[in-house]
Amino acid sequence: AVVLEPSTDLVAWNAAYEALSRPTGLLDADPPNLLRYLFLDPRARPLYRDRPAVARELVAGLRAATTQCSSSSELDHLVGELSVHSDDFARLWAEHEVEVRRRGVERLTHPVVGDLDLLADVLVLSDPGDRRIVTYLPASERSNAALDALSTTTTRTGIHTTLLRVVAGTGDENVCGSNEPRRRFRFDGRVALVPGRARKPRTHTVGHCCCRCRRRTPCPADLPPETRSVSPSPQLPRLR
C-alpha cells in the first residue's frame, strides 16, 4: 500500500510496497514522484508493460487535481517541469483528458521477479489535501508467488522496513484547498502529516487513533495517566 499526494508524490508506504518498488528505482528520489519517474526516468520504460495507458491515466489524474485545486503552485511547477522535459507528457497534457482512477490492473516487468499483474484499488482520503491510498493485490497465482519471493529476497538482503514509512513534508506547508497548516503525528516513530491545527507532535502506536480519526472514544494519549488503560493494538492484515 502507498499514500499519494495529488501531485503523485509518495508520502508513505508499507514494507510490501518498499520490497516491490525499491529495486525499480522509484523510491530513489526525495520525495519519490510517480509522474517524474514515469516520464523522466529511463528505468520506468521497461517496468510498465502497458506504459502508454499508465501515462495517459496519470496525466488525466493530474489534470483532475489541477481542476480541483487551481491555485496550487506545486502542481503548476510539476506541470511546467514535465512539459519542458517530456514531449510525451506535453502531448497528453494538451489533450485535456480528466479522469480519477478508482481501480485497475498494473502489468509490470519487475527487474527482480519478472512479470507481475497487480490489482490496484484507490481510496481518496477524506481530508482537504485529497490524498489517495492505493492498495495492491496479486491478480494471479504467478504474481502471488513472485511477490512472496520478492519479500523473501528483501528480508534476506537485510532491508528493514516498518508498518508505515513516512518521508515527505516539513510540517509548515498548507494543504490544497485549506488555509490550515499540516500537523505532525507519528506512526511507529516516523512523522506523518495531516491537515489540522499546528501542535506539538505526539507518538501513537499503530492501531491507536490520531486527533483526526473521528473515534467515538478519547485518544489514549489525551487521557490523564491515571485513567489510561493499556490494550493491545489490533493485528493489521498483511499487505502484499
Side-chain angles (χ1 to χ4, degrees), residues 10-39:
L10 281 64
V11 294
W13 57 86
N14 65 358
Y17 193 83
E18 171 96 12
L20 174 69
S21 299
R22 180 65 66 183
T24 69
L26 171 60
L27 304 182
D28 291 352
D30 183 22
N33 180 281
L34 276 177
L35 280 162
R36 286 191 179 96
Y37 176 74
L38 180 66
F39 287 102

Side-chain angles (χ1 to χ4, degrees), residues 1-4 10 12-29 32-34 37 41 43-44 47-48 106 108-113 116 118 134 136 146-147 150-151 154 159 161 165 240:
V2 61
V3 180
L4 300 173
L10 281 64
W13 57 86
N14 65 358
Y17 193 83
E18 171 96 12
L20 174 69
S21 299
R22 180 65 66 183
T24 69
L26 171 60
L27 304 182
D28 291 352
N33 180 281
L34 276 177
Y37 176 74
D41 195 320
R43 291 173 292 185
L47 177 63
Y48 295 98
E106 290 196 6
L108 309 177
T109 300
H110 196 271
V112 176
V113 294
L116 288 173
L118 302 176
V134 186
Y136 296 91
L147 289 177
L150 191 61
S151 177
T154 302
I159 298 177
T161 55
R165 172 168 297 182
R240 297 185 180 278

Side-chain angles (χ1 to χ4, degrees), residues 56-129:
R56 181 176 296 277
E57 185 177 87
L58 286 179
V59 173
L62 182 63
R63 173 71 72 176
T66 59
T67 301
Q68 297 169 2
C69 185
S70 58
S71 62
S72 173
S73 59
E74 179 185 3
L75 296 180
D76 291 342
H77 176 78
L78 178 63
V79 170
E81 176 189 350
L82 294 176
S83 297
V84 169
H85 296 290
S86 172
D87 293 339
D88 288 342
F89 176 86
R91 174 179 53 80
L92 292 171
W93 186 254
E95 295 179 6
H96 294 272
E97 184 175 344
V98 177
E99 180 184 2
V100 178
R101 183 183 74 160
R102 300 293 184 182
R103 181 171 297 176
V105 178
E106 290 196 6
R107 296 176 174 83
L108 309 177
T109 300
H110 196 271
V112 176
V113 294
D115 288 351
L116 288 173
D117 294 330
L118 302 176
L119 296 172
D121 279 303
V122 182
L123 174 66
V124 178
L125 303 181
S126 57
D127 65 64

